[in-house]
Amino acid sequence: MKYFKQIIAFVLLMTLSLAVGCKNPVDAMSEELVNTMTDDMDKNDILYYDSADGWHVTYNGKSLLLRQIDAHEVWFIYSMSDAGNNAVVIKYVEGADPLDAIEEMTASWSDAEVSQSEDTFVGTEDKWGIWRSTSYVYQDDNIDKYVTAAQYNGGTLLIEMDTRYYGEPDTYVQNLLNNVIESIHYDDFAEQDMYEGLPGDYTCIIEGGEGVRDIEYELSLYDNHAGTLILDENIIIAWGSKLYINDEVCEYEFKDNVLTFTYHDKKYEFLKDE
C-alpha cells in the first residue's frame, strides 16, 4: 500500500474528497491508475469518478457502492458492510480552515487515544495536510479511523477512511478502500497560503548580562516543512500547525515576525531575519 501507513510522528496515511460526478469505465487516460489495483480485482470493474470540485478517483464498482450526500460529499462504501461501515468519505468544506474542519469531523470519535501528525497531502508532492487516526474496540469489533485535511482551493478537503472488522483485518476490504485513496489526482490544486510568511531564518538572542556573553540560537523553517533548530545541538525538525522537535510537539505563536514556542519547559522567542 503506497500511502496507507500507520500515523506515527510524520507518517502519511490517506486522502480524498468531494463530489458531484459521474461513473464511467476507466479509459486509457486512467490506465496508469488502474494498474495500481491489486491482482484480485478485475480491471473491468474499475470505474472513474469525476468531482465538480476538481478531484478524480478510480474505484471498484462491483464491490464499492457510491453514495452522494450532497454537492460536496461522497461516500465509497463496501457493499457487504452493515450501516455504512468500511467506507471512504470525501468532503469539501468551502471557506473552512483545515484545523477547524478536522476538529469538527473527529469530534464524534471515541474517547480512545487519537494520534495526530502532518505530512505531504495524498496525491501531491508539495501540499501540506494534517492527519488523525484512532483505533478502539466496540462490541467485539475493531474500529480503525483515519482522516486527513488540507487547505484546498478556497476551503478544506477532508478524507476519512473507516474500517470495522472482527478478529484479523480484512485485507481485501482495506485494499478496496485504500486504492480509492491512492488514485486521487486533481485538476488544479492551488497554492496554500495558511502558513504564508512563516518560512525563513530566525534568531533568538539570550542576553548574558554584565560580563557574560550573549547566547545566540538559530531557527530555519523551509518551504517543504522541514527545518533546523540550533540550540545546544543541531536538531532537524518538521513544522506545520505545530513544531515537531525531536519527540516533542510544540504549540507556537507567530506575530509581528516573532515566533514564540516552549520546548523542554523553556520559552523561546525567535525574531525573523530581514
Side-chain angles (χ1 to χ4, degrees), residues 30-43:
S30 56
E31 181 178 355
E32 181 178 351
L33 294 175
V34 175
N35 289 336
T36 68
M37 302 297 169
T38 55
D39 294 337
D40 57 348
M41 299 179 190
D42 189 339
K43 292 180 181 180

Side-chain angles (χ1 to χ4, degrees), residues 198-206 214-222 226-239 243 245 259 261 263 266 268-273:
L198 272 170
D201 297 322
Y202 296 76
T203 303
C204 174
I205 298 178
I206 307 296
D214 293 347
I215 300 174
E216 182 173 313
Y217 299 130
E218 297 178 6
L219 171 69
S220 294
L221 303 181
Y222 309 129
T228 56
L229 175 62
I230 302 177
L231 298 175
D232 298 326
E233 58 178 333
N234 293 352
I235 307 171
I236 303 299
I237 70 171
W239 68 275
L243 299 178
I245 307 172
L259 186 69
F261 63 93
Y263 174 62
K266 185 175 180 179
Y268 295 92
E269 293 184 350
F270 280 83
L271 176 64
K272 190 175 183 181
D273 298 346

Side-chain angles (χ1 to χ4, degrees), residues 82-128:
D82 296 328
N85 295 315
N86 297 310
V88 166
V89 179
I90 309 170
K91 183 178 182 180
Y92 174 73
V93 185
E94 185 176 2
D97 175 84
L99 287 169
D100 294 337
I102 200 170
E103 183 69 34
E104 181 177 348
M105 196 165 191
T106 60
S108 62
W109 282 13
S110 165
D111 291 334
E113 182 178 353
V114 174
S115 299
Q116 177 169 315
S117 65
E118 302 182 49
D119 210 321
T120 307
F121 198 61
V122 179
T124 76
E125 295 181 352
D126 60 351
K127 302 301 186 293
W128 200 242

Side-chain angles (χ1 to χ4, degrees), residues 127-142:
K127 302 301 186 293
W128 200 242
I130 304 167
W131 313 83
R132 284 190 180 182
S133 68
T134 189
S135 297
Y136 58 94
V137 177
Y138 178 73
Q139 296 181 348
D140 295 329
D141 283 348
N142 297 294

Side-chain angles (χ1 to χ4, degrees), residues 17 26 52 60 64 68 77 83-84 126 133 140 145 173 176 178 185 192 199 208-209 214 224 229 254:
S17 171
V26 177
N60 188 309
L64 295 177
Q68 184 145 335
I77 307 169
D126 60 351
S133 68
D140 295 329
K145 291 179 176 286
V173 175
L176 280 172
N178 193 59
H185 58 292
Q192 299 172 314
D214 293 347
N224 65 356
L229 175 62
F254 182 63

